[in-house]
Structure formats: structure tokens, C-alpha cells
Amino acid sequence: MMCCAACGNTEVDDIKLRKCTACHSARYCGVKCQRDHRQQHKKECKKRAAELRDEILFKQPESTNEGDCPICCLPISLDQIKSTMMSCCSKVICEGCVYSNDIRIYQASLERTCPFCRHPAPKSKEEEEKNIMKRVQANDPVAMVQIGLRRNEAGDYDDAFRYLSKAAELGDVGAHYQLAIFYRKGHGVEKDVKKVVYHWEQAAIGGHPRARYNLGCEEKNNGRIDRAMKHWIIAATLGCDDTLDALKVCFRGGLVTKEDFAAALRAHQTAVEATK
């Protein structure tokens, strides 16, 4: 039977125990008991919370944050020149489906439209941005990231940070990765290493290969080689090319086994071929 970690009261009909929100292991019958037990529980709580975080962080994502093309359902390539985001619906379409749509339009002498939603294609950059802003007003995080990146390129870091922060709140993985860059370079915000790592971790959990690779580099620089290896192997299985170079160096140095290195190479090749 479960009981309060502070006073020992058991859970009955009139007493409902609440979990510690950090470690989810200790239970308390009230705020007073939790506060009284804090000093005794603090060390164990911090350790267990870190373990729970690592369980989430080092779980192999099913796919990259790019996801699949909504038309052919094949994985989107990590090479961004091989896909296009549609300003009308914010869908990312692979180059094969964009090409097939162009052929269809050419052969039938049709007006250019979106391959996915068939909305007329924008005729100018101004019309394209107007379409994206409509998606922003509809709380579309993908569109917010696009506007944030455009504001960043224009040097408007404050506005860019605002759009990216909103997109990150809505769960966009790419927004977390871009915010990490902002905190690393100090664009519109003060440099903050902890926030850089936090946003990289959020992006990595969501399947962002580059964020995962960067976390591996950060762990290696801090002397935590085992954690770096875990990050790089996961990044390799998601198709990140840069990770292979890092793993090669570690393999030559005896930091990664032949079996793990071979498995990472095979998984990387599989991920790359799936996008072709």
C-alpha cells in the first residue's frame, strides 16, 4: 500500500497521495509534507529525475523530425534542397513529387498549383510571404519557423526569436534547434549554454539528427565519451553524415566497438536509401 514519504499516512478514500513532479517516485499527502521532506528527498529526487530524462533523451526516434512526404509517404531527405515547403499549406513535399506535379501541369497546360492542396502557386515573393503569414495566423508552427528564419536573415533578431519561441511552444522540433543557435550566438538574447543544451535536447528527442550530433560533440568536449557515443550512434541511424566521421575517429581510437560501428553504418545507409 502506498504511503506519504513524509508522515507515513496511507492512501485511503479521504487522502489522495500526489507524486513528486520531478522524480515520480515519492508520494505526499499534501504540500506541507512535500516541503518538510524536501531536504531529505532532494538528492535522491535529482538523481531519479536525471535518470528519467536520460530514458527519454536516449530513446531511438522512429524517424527524423522531417517526417514523410504527405504525397508519396517516403521519408523526407535531410538535404533541404531535395524538398520544398509549400507556402499555402506548410506541407514539405519531396523533390520527386514536386517534379511529377510540374510534369502533370506542363503536359495538361494547367495553372501552377500546390502538389498537395492544389492552391494556386504564388506569383511573387510578396504573395508567398502573405500565404505564410495566413498560416502563422492559424497557429501553424511550421510557418512560424519560416517567418522566424526570414526575419533572422534580415537581421531582425527580436522578431525572429519571438516567432521561433512561439513555434517551439507549439512543439516544433526545428524551432527548438534554431533557438539553440540563437542562444549559442547571442542573437537577440544573452548567450546561455544551459538553454543551448536544453533546446538541442528537445530537438534531439523529436528526431533532429543535427541537434543529436551537436549534443554528442558537447558531451565529448565535457569528457563524457559514453554519452557522446550514444548520441552519435542515434544520429547515424537517422542519416546524419557528419556523425559517421566522428564515429570513425572514435572507432580508430578504440572508443566504439567494431559491432556498434558496423551497425551504425548499416543503419545510416538504410536511412539514406529510404529517402531516394
Side-chain angles (χ1 to χ4, degrees), residues 107-137:
Q107 291 177 343
S109 300
L110 300 173
E111 180 184 1
R112 289 186 61 83
T113 58
C114 170
F116 183 78
C117 69
R118 302 307 188 202
H119 187 281
K123 294 180 174 59
S124 64
K125 288 289 185 182
E126 291 74 18
E127 187 177 347
E128 181 183 60
E129 181 150 335
K130 188 176 180 181
N131 287 343
I132 298 176
M133 288 305 298
K134 285 182 180 179
R135 298 300 307 162
V136 169
Q137 292 166 7

Side-chain angles (χ1 to χ4, degrees), residues 22 42 70 82 86 97 108 117 138 158 170 174 199 202 220 237 239 252 266 274:
K42 188 176 180 180
K82 294 183 178 181
M86 300 295 121
C97 290
C117 69
D158 292 338
L170 294 172
H199 286 293
Q202 291 300 108
K220 182 177 181 296
T237 60
R252 294 191 190 107
R266 289 193 296 270

Side-chain angles (χ1 to χ4, degrees), residues 33-252:
C33 282
Q34 186 171 6
R35 190 181 296 117
D36 292 343
H37 193 247
R38 178 170 175 75
Q39 287 301 319
Q40 184 179 344
H41 176 60
K42 188 176 180 180
K43 184 176 180 180
E44 180 185 346
C45 179
K46 188 175 181 180
K47 179 183 177 182
R48 181 54 184 157
E51 290 173 352
L52 290 174
R53 178 67 174 175
D54 280 353
E55 287 178 11
I56 298 172
L57 180 60
F58 290 110
K59 183 179 180 180
Q60 177 70 50
E62 294 182 2
S63 63
T64 72
N65 63 298
E66 299 294 342
D68 299 335
C69 173
I71 297 176
C72 67
C73 297
L74 291 176
I76 295 291
S77 173
L78 297 181
D79 187 350
Q80 294 186 349
I81 67 172
K82 294 183 178 181
S83 61
T84 304
M85 194 208 82
M86 300 295 121
S87 62
C88 47
C89 57
S90 296
K91 297 296 183 183
V92 179
I93 313 297
C94 73
E95 63 176 351
C97 290
V98 171
Y99 178 74
S100 295
N101 186 60
D102 289 342
I103 293 297
R104 179 187 67 86
I105 290 171
Y106 175 76
Q107 291 177 343
S109 300
L110 300 173
E111 180 184 1
R112 289 186 61 83
T113 58
C114 170
F116 183 78
C117 69
R118 302 307 188 202
H119 187 281
K123 294 180 174 59
S124 64
K125 288 289 185 182
E126 291 74 18
E127 187 177 347
E128 181 183 60
E129 181 150 335
K130 188 176 180 181
N131 287 343
I132 298 176
M133 288 305 298
K134 285 182 180 179
R135 298 300 307 162
V136 169
Q137 292 166 7
N139 272 344
D140 186 331
V142 177
M144 291 177 187
V145 171
Q146 288 300 312
I147 293 297
L149 293 175
R150 293 186 181 200
R151 297 292 185 270
N152 181 45
E153 290 177 2
D156 188 353
Y157 299 134
D158 292 338
D159 215 24
F161 183 80
R162 181 170 61 85
Y163 280 111
L164 292 171
S165 295
K166 179 63 175 176
E169 289 174 8
L170 294 172
D172 189 271
V173 173
H176 279 292
Y177 179 75
Q178 294 299 331
L179 285 173
I181 295 175
F182 269 61
Y183 281 111
R184 191 174 184 83
K185 294 183 176 180
H187 284 177
V189 291
E190 291 185 10
K191 292 184 179 181
D192 191 324
V193 176
K194 288 185 178 180
K195 289 185 177 179
V196 170
V197 172
Y198 167 76
H199 286 293
W200 273 344
E201 287 184 349
Q202 291 300 108
I205 290 169
H208 198 294
R210 189 71 195 183
R212 181 73 68 175
Y213 169 74
N214 289 345
L215 281 174
C217 294
E218 188 72 18
E219 294 288 9
K220 182 177 181 296
N221 292 337
N222 291 330
R224 296 190 284 263
I225 303 299
D226 289 346
R227 292 175 65 87
M229 291 301 104
K230 290 180 181 180
H231 283 303
W232 285 339
I233 289 173
I234 292 174
T237 60
L238 294 175
C240 181
D241 294 334
D242 290 338
T243 305
L244 294 183
D245 294 331
L247 286 174
K248 286 176 185 175
V249 173
C250 293
F251 174 64
R252 294 191 190 107

